[in-house]
Protein backbone atom coordinates (compact mmCIF):
# COMPACT_ATOMS: atom_id res chain seq x y z
CA UNK A 1 0.00 0.00 0.00
CA UNK A 2 2.78 2.39 0.92
CA UNK A 3 4.61 1.39 -2.23
CA UNK A 4 1.54 2.01 -4.35
CA UNK A 5 1.11 5.45 -2.79
CA UNK A 6 4.71 6.24 -3.61
CA UNK A 7 4.16 5.04 -7.18
CA UNK A 8 1.18 7.35 -7.50
CA UNK A 9 3.28 10.25 -6.20
CA UNK A 10 6.04 9.45 -8.69
CA UNK A 11 3.51 9.29 -11.51
CA UNK A 12 2.14 12.72 -10.66
CA UNK A 13 5.72 13.97 -10.57
CA UNK A 14 6.35 12.51 -14.03
CA UNK A 15 3.29 14.29 -15.36
CA UNK A 16 4.04 17.62 -13.73
CA UNK A 17 7.78 17.93 -14.32
CA UNK A 18 8.96 19.56 -17.53
CA UNK A 19 12.62 18.54 -17.27
CA UNK A 20 12.82 15.36 -19.34
CA UNK A 21 16.06 14.19 -17.73
CA UNK A 22 14.37 14.15 -14.32
CA UNK A 23 11.39 12.38 -15.87
CA UNK A 24 13.65 9.60 -17.17
CA UNK A 25 15.18 9.15 -13.72
CA UNK A 26 11.73 9.11 -12.14
CA UNK A 27 10.75 6.42 -14.62
CA UNK A 28 13.60 4.26 -13.33
CA UNK A 29 12.45 4.88 -9.76
CA UNK A 30 8.92 3.92 -10.73
CA UNK A 31 10.19 0.65 -12.18
CA UNK A 32 12.06 -0.23 -9.01
CA UNK A 33 8.97 0.51 -6.90
CA UNK A 34 6.89 -1.60 -9.26
CA UNK A 35 9.42 -4.43 -8.91
CA UNK A 36 9.08 -4.18 -5.13
CA UNK A 37 5.31 -4.47 -5.42
CA UNK A 38 5.77 -7.55 -7.61
CA UNK A 39 8.01 -9.05 -4.93
CA UNK A 40 5.32 -8.37 -2.33
CA UNK A 41 2.90 -10.30 -4.55
CA UNK A 42 5.43 -13.19 -4.64
CA UNK A 43 6.05 -12.89 -8.37
CA UNK A 44 9.82 -12.72 -8.30
CA UNK A 45 10.37 -13.51 -11.96
CA UNK A 46 8.06 -10.72 -13.08
CA UNK A 47 9.83 -8.39 -10.68
CA UNK A 48 13.16 -9.36 -12.18
CA UNK A 49 11.90 -8.61 -15.68
CA UNK A 50 10.44 -5.31 -14.54
CA UNK A 51 13.68 -4.23 -12.92
CA UNK A 52 15.89 -5.25 -15.83
CA UNK A 53 13.69 -3.91 -18.61
CA UNK A 54 12.08 -0.95 -16.86
CA UNK A 55 14.93 0.35 -14.77
CA UNK A 56 17.87 -0.86 -16.80
CA UNK A 57 17.28 -1.01 -20.53
CA UNK A 58 14.52 1.52 -20.96
CA UNK A 59 16.36 4.13 -18.88
CA UNK A 60 19.38 3.77 -21.13
CA UNK A 61 17.21 3.86 -24.26
CA UNK A 62 15.38 6.95 -23.03
CA UNK A 63 18.70 8.66 -22.39
CA UNK A 64 19.71 7.81 -25.94
CA UNK A 65 16.49 9.40 -27.20
CA UNK A 66 17.06 12.41 -24.98
CA UNK A 67 20.37 12.91 -26.73
CA UNK A 68 18.47 13.52 -29.98
CA UNK A 69 15.91 15.96 -28.58
CA UNK A 70 15.81 18.87 -26.19
CA UNK A 71 15.99 18.66 -22.43
CA UNK A 72 12.83 20.63 -21.70
CA UNK A 73 9.32 19.68 -22.66
CA UNK A 74 7.21 22.43 -24.19
CA UNK A 75 3.80 23.26 -22.81
CA UNK A 76 1.02 21.22 -24.39
CA UNK A 77 -1.13 23.21 -26.77
CA UNK A 78 -4.45 21.51 -26.03
CA UNK A 79 -6.27 20.99 -22.78
CA UNK A 80 -5.78 17.62 -21.08
CA UNK A 81 -9.48 17.21 -20.31
CA UNK A 82 -10.41 14.76 -23.08
CA UNK A 83 -7.44 12.38 -22.46
CA UNK A 84 -8.17 12.59 -18.74
CA UNK A 85 -11.80 11.64 -19.37
CA UNK A 86 -10.79 8.67 -21.54
CA UNK A 87 -8.28 7.49 -18.96
CA UNK A 88 -10.77 7.78 -16.10
CA UNK A 89 -13.43 5.85 -18.04
CA UNK A 90 -10.93 3.12 -18.93
CA UNK A 91 -9.73 2.87 -15.34
CA UNK A 92 -13.33 2.69 -14.14
CA UNK A 93 -14.00 -0.18 -16.53
CA UNK A 94 -10.90 -2.03 -15.34
CA UNK A 95 -11.83 -1.54 -11.67
CA UNK A 96 -15.35 -2.75 -12.43
CA UNK A 97 -13.78 -5.83 -14.00
CA UNK A 98 -11.75 -6.60 -10.87
CA UNK A 99 -14.89 -6.82 -8.73
CA UNK A 100 -15.70 -10.27 -10.05
CA UNK A 101 -12.19 -11.63 -9.58
CA UNK A 102 -11.62 -14.33 -6.93
CA UNK A 103 -9.51 -13.26 -3.94
CA UNK A 104 -5.74 -13.12 -4.45
CA UNK A 105 -4.09 -16.53 -3.96
CA UNK A 106 -7.40 -18.35 -3.57
CA UNK A 107 -6.69 -22.03 -4.39
CA UNK A 108 -10.34 -22.72 -5.23
CA UNK A 109 -10.47 -20.08 -7.97
CA UNK A 110 -11.67 -21.16 -11.38
CA UNK A 111 -8.30 -20.64 -13.00
CA UNK A 112 -6.68 -23.10 -10.58
CA UNK A 113 -9.25 -25.83 -11.26
CA UNK A 114 -9.06 -26.22 -15.01
CA UNK A 115 -5.75 -27.67 -16.19
CA UNK A 116 -3.33 -26.67 -13.42
CA UNK A 117 -3.80 -29.86 -11.34
CA UNK A 118 -3.09 -31.99 -14.40
CA UNK A 119 0.10 -30.03 -15.09
CA UNK A 120 1.24 -30.31 -11.50
CA UNK A 121 0.66 -34.07 -11.36
CA UNK A 122 1.77 -35.23 -14.79
CA UNK A 123 4.38 -32.76 -16.03
CA UNK A 124 7.37 -34.89 -15.02
CA UNK A 125 6.03 -38.09 -16.57
CA UNK A 126 4.86 -36.28 -19.69
CA UNK A 127 7.84 -34.07 -20.41
CA UNK A 128 10.53 -35.09 -17.87
CA UNK A 129 11.25 -31.41 -17.23
CA UNK A 130 11.85 -30.78 -13.52
CA UNK A 131 10.35 -27.27 -13.59
CA UNK A 132 6.60 -27.09 -14.10
CA UNK A 133 6.75 -23.62 -15.64
CA UNK A 134 9.28 -24.86 -18.19
CA UNK A 135 7.08 -27.83 -18.97
CA UNK A 136 4.01 -25.65 -19.50
CA UNK A 137 5.80 -23.07 -21.61
CA UNK A 138 7.92 -25.35 -23.77
CA UNK A 139 5.74 -28.43 -24.09
CA UNK A 140 2.07 -27.96 -23.26
CA UNK A 141 1.95 -24.51 -24.85
CA UNK A 142 4.78 -25.08 -27.27
CA UNK A 143 2.99 -23.64 -30.30
CA UNK A 144 2.09 -20.52 -28.33
CA UNK A 145 5.72 -20.02 -27.34
CA UNK A 146 6.81 -20.65 -30.91
CA UNK A 147 4.47 -17.91 -32.09
CA UNK A 148 5.86 -15.47 -29.52
CA UNK A 149 9.38 -16.29 -30.59
CA UNK A 150 8.49 -15.67 -34.24
CA UNK A 151 7.01 -12.28 -33.32
CA UNK A 152 10.10 -11.25 -31.38
CA UNK A 153 12.37 -12.51 -34.15
CA UNK A 154 10.44 -10.49 -36.73
CA UNK A 155 10.65 -7.39 -34.56
CA UNK A 156 14.40 -7.87 -34.20
CA UNK A 157 14.83 -8.19 -37.97
CA UNK A 158 12.74 -5.04 -38.53
CA UNK A 159 14.80 -3.05 -36.03
CA UNK A 160 18.03 -4.24 -37.64
CA UNK A 161 16.77 -3.22 -41.08
CA UNK A 162 15.77 0.23 -39.79
CA UNK A 163 19.13 0.76 -38.15
CA UNK A 164 20.96 -0.38 -41.27
CA UNK A 165 18.96 2.02 -43.42
CA UNK A 166 19.75 4.89 -41.09
CA UNK A 167 23.51 4.37 -41.24
CA UNK A 168 24.48 6.17 -44.50
CA UNK A 169 22.49 9.34 -43.75
CA UNK A 170 24.82 11.14 -41.29
CA UNK A 171 27.83 10.44 -43.52
CA UNK A 172 26.33 12.54 -46.30
CA UNK A 173 26.28 15.53 -43.98
CA UNK A 174 22.59 16.24 -43.47
CA UNK A 175 21.07 18.42 -40.78
CA UNK A 176 20.95 15.87 -38.03
CA UNK A 177 24.67 15.19 -37.97
CA UNK A 178 25.39 18.90 -37.99
CA UNK A 179 23.12 19.62 -35.06
CA UNK A 180 24.70 16.81 -33.12
CA UNK A 181 28.21 18.20 -33.43
CA UNK A 182 26.90 21.66 -32.65
CA UNK A 183 25.34 20.47 -29.44
CA UNK A 184 28.51 18.70 -28.41
CA UNK A 185 30.51 21.85 -28.96
CA UNK A 186 28.10 23.88 -26.91
CA UNK A 187 28.45 21.51 -24.00
CA UNK A 188 32.19 21.89 -24.07
CA UNK B 1 9.23 -15.27 16.32
CA UNK B 2 11.77 -12.68 17.39
CA UNK B 3 13.36 -12.62 13.97
CA UNK B 4 9.96 -11.99 12.42
CA UNK B 5 9.54 -8.85 14.52
CA UNK B 6 13.02 -7.71 13.58
CA UNK B 7 12.39 -8.25 9.88
CA UNK B 8 9.05 -6.48 10.04
CA UNK B 9 10.59 -3.46 11.73
CA UNK B 10 13.38 -3.47 9.17
CA UNK B 11 10.86 -3.59 6.32
CA UNK B 12 8.98 -0.62 7.75
CA UNK B 13 12.22 1.32 8.15
CA UNK B 14 13.20 0.52 4.56
CA UNK B 15 9.82 1.71 3.36
CA UNK B 16 10.30 4.96 5.23
CA UNK B 17 13.73 5.47 3.67
CA UNK B 18 12.23 4.72 0.25
CA UNK B 19 9.68 7.43 0.87
CA UNK B 20 12.43 9.91 1.76
CA UNK B 21 14.38 9.00 -1.37
CA UNK B 22 11.29 9.45 -3.54
CA UNK B 23 10.70 12.84 -2.00
CA UNK B 24 14.26 13.83 -2.80
CA UNK B 25 13.88 12.62 -6.37
CA UNK B 26 10.76 14.74 -6.79
CA UNK B 27 12.03 17.84 -5.04
CA UNK B 28 15.73 17.63 -5.90
CA UNK B 29 16.89 20.84 -7.50
CA UNK B 30 19.86 19.36 -9.39
CA UNK B 31 20.31 16.31 -11.56
CA UNK B 32 22.75 14.77 -9.10
CA UNK B 33 20.15 14.78 -6.34
CA UNK B 34 17.84 12.87 -8.59
CA UNK B 35 20.49 10.39 -9.75
CA UNK B 36 21.47 9.74 -6.14
CA UNK B 37 17.83 9.35 -5.17
CA UNK B 38 17.31 6.85 -7.97
CA UNK B 39 20.30 4.90 -6.74
CA UNK B 40 18.94 5.02 -3.18
CA UNK B 41 15.56 3.74 -4.34
CA UNK B 42 17.30 0.88 -6.10
CA UNK B 43 19.22 0.05 -2.93
CA UNK B 44 16.00 0.22 -0.94
CA UNK B 45 14.37 -2.18 -3.38
CA UNK B 46 17.29 -4.59 -2.93
CA UNK B 47 17.06 -4.45 0.86
CA UNK B 48 13.30 -4.83 0.75
CA UNK B 49 13.76 -7.86 -1.47
CA UNK B 50 16.18 -9.43 0.99
CA UNK B 51 14.02 -8.70 4.04
CA UNK B 52 10.86 -9.98 2.37
CA UNK B 53 12.77 -13.08 1.30
CA UNK B 54 13.69 -13.80 4.91
CA UNK B 55 10.17 -12.97 6.07
CA UNK B 56 8.70 -15.44 3.59
CA UNK B 57 11.30 -18.03 4.57
CA UNK B 58 12.93 -18.04 1.15
CA UNK B 59 16.43 -16.55 1.38
CA UNK B 60 17.06 -17.50 -2.25
CA UNK B 61 15.76 -14.04 -3.06
CA UNK B 62 19.25 -12.78 -2.23
CA UNK B 63 20.47 -13.92 -5.65
CA UNK B 64 17.94 -11.68 -7.32
CA UNK B 65 19.11 -8.88 -5.05
CA UNK B 66 22.59 -9.25 -6.51
CA UNK B 67 21.12 -8.90 -10.00
CA UNK B 68 19.31 -5.74 -8.92
CA UNK B 69 22.56 -4.32 -7.60
CA UNK B 70 24.28 -4.90 -10.96
CA UNK B 71 21.38 -3.26 -12.80
CA UNK B 72 21.47 -0.34 -10.42
CA UNK B 73 25.16 0.22 -11.05
CA UNK B 74 24.68 0.12 -14.83
CA UNK B 75 21.71 2.48 -14.77
CA UNK B 76 23.47 5.00 -12.53
CA UNK B 77 26.62 4.87 -14.65
CA UNK B 78 24.56 5.40 -17.80
CA UNK B 79 22.79 8.41 -16.29
CA UNK B 80 26.01 10.00 -15.09
CA UNK B 81 27.84 9.32 -18.35
CA UNK B 82 24.99 10.89 -20.26
CA UNK B 83 25.11 13.94 -18.04
CA UNK B 84 28.88 14.26 -18.40
CA UNK B 85 29.24 13.70 -22.14
CA UNK B 86 25.70 14.08 -23.46
CA UNK B 87 26.12 10.86 -25.41
CA UNK B 88 26.03 7.25 -24.31
CA UNK B 89 28.35 6.10 -27.05
CA UNK B 90 31.17 8.40 -25.99
CA UNK B 91 34.49 6.66 -25.62
CA UNK B 92 35.56 8.38 -22.41
CA UNK B 93 37.69 11.46 -22.20
CA UNK B 94 36.98 14.50 -24.34
CA UNK B 95 38.85 14.37 -27.65
CA UNK B 96 41.42 17.08 -28.26
CA UNK B 97 40.51 19.14 -31.28
Amino acid sequence: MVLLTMMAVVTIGVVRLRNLFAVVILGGIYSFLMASVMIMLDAVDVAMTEASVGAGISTVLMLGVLHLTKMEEIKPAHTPLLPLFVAVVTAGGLVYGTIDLPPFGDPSGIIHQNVAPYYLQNSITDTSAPNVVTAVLASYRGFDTLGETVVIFTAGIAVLLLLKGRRPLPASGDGKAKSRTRRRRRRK
Amino acid sequence: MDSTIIYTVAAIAILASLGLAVFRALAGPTVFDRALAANAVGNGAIMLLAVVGFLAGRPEFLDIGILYALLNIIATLAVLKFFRYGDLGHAGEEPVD
Side-chain angles (χ1 to χ4, degrees):
Chain A
M1 199 65 216
V2 181
L3 282 171
L4 287 178
T5 312
M6 272 192 260
M7 282 168 62
V9 171
V10 169
T11 310
I12 293 173
V14 167
V15 175
R16 298 295 298 177
L17 275 178
R18 292 273 164 237
N19 188 354
L20 289 178
F21 194 80
V23 167
V24 168
I25 292 178
L26 283 179
I29 289 177
Y30 182 86
S31 289
F32 265 119
L33 291 178
M34 189 74 213
S36 301
V37 173
M38 296 288 183
I39 290 164
M40 290 296 179
L41 293 178
D42 211 7
V44 188
D45 47 346
V46 185
M48 201 158 73
T49 313
E50 173 70 37
S52 58
V53 173
I57 298 296
S58 64
T59 303
V60 173
L61 285 181
M62 285 293 186
L63 287 177
V65 171
L66 211 58
H67 170 60
L68 296 176
T69 76
K70 291 176 184 163
M71 284 294 246
E72 294 288 329
E73 186 182 359
I74 58 172
K75 285 272 182 191
H78 54 87
T79 71
L81 281 183
L82 181 63
L84 187 68
F85 176 72
V86 172
V88 165
V89 168
T90 310
L94 290 176
V95 169
Y96 176 71
T98 60
I99 293 175
D100 276 347
L101 285 181
F104 176 71
D106 184 13
S108 65
I110 297 170
I111 194 169
H112 300 304
Q113 298 295 325
N114 192 10
V115 287
Y118 177 81
Y119 288 160
L120 289 180
Q121 281 174 1
N122 300 326
S123 68
I124 286 189
T125 54
D126 280 355
T127 66
S128 70
N131 193 334
V132 182
V133 177
T134 307
V136 170
L137 278 183
S139 176
Y140 292 118
R141 300 179 189 165
F143 284 115
D144 191 16
T145 310
L146 180 66
E148 291 172 12
T149 319
V150 167
V151 167
I152 294 176
F153 185 66
T154 315
I157 289 176
V159 168
L160 281 181
L161 286 176
L162 283 175
L163 288 179
K164 200 178 174 194
R166 180 69 63 82
R167 191 62 54 79
L169 283 179
S172 60
D174 62 340
K176 192 174 280 180
K178 259 182 224 163
S179 76
R180 195 178 296 172
T181 54
R182 205 185 304 143
R183 190 176 304 157
R184 199 171 290 160
R185 263 184 216 131
R186 202 191 308 143
R187 206 173 290 271
K188 239 181 272 176
Chain B
M1 188 58 202
D2 284 341
S3 61
T4 307
I5 296 174
I6 291 174
Y7 288 137
T8 310
V9 170
I12 293 172
I14 291 167
L15 280 178
S17 71
L18 270 179
L20 291 176
V22 167
F23 170 74
R24 178 46 65 196
L26 286 174
T30 69
V31 168
F32 297 110
D33 287 327
R34 292 200 168 98
L36 191 59
N39 204 352
V41 169
N43 287 335
I46 293 166
M47 286 190 289
L48 199 65
L49 175 71
V51 168
V52 168
F54 279 112
L55 261 180
R58 293 202 282 172
E60 305 92 1
F61 284 10
L62 285 180
D63 295 344
I64 303 171
I66 294 172
L67 180 77
Y68 277 23
L70 291 173
L71 279 172
N72 211 355
I73 288 173
I74 291 174
T76 309
L77 278 182
V79 166
L80 291 178
K81 184 174 182 183
F82 178 83
F83 188 72
R84 175 73 175 80
Y85 298 116
D87 185 4
L88 284 177
H90 199 279
E93 280 302 306
E94 297 272 318
V96 182
D97 283 337

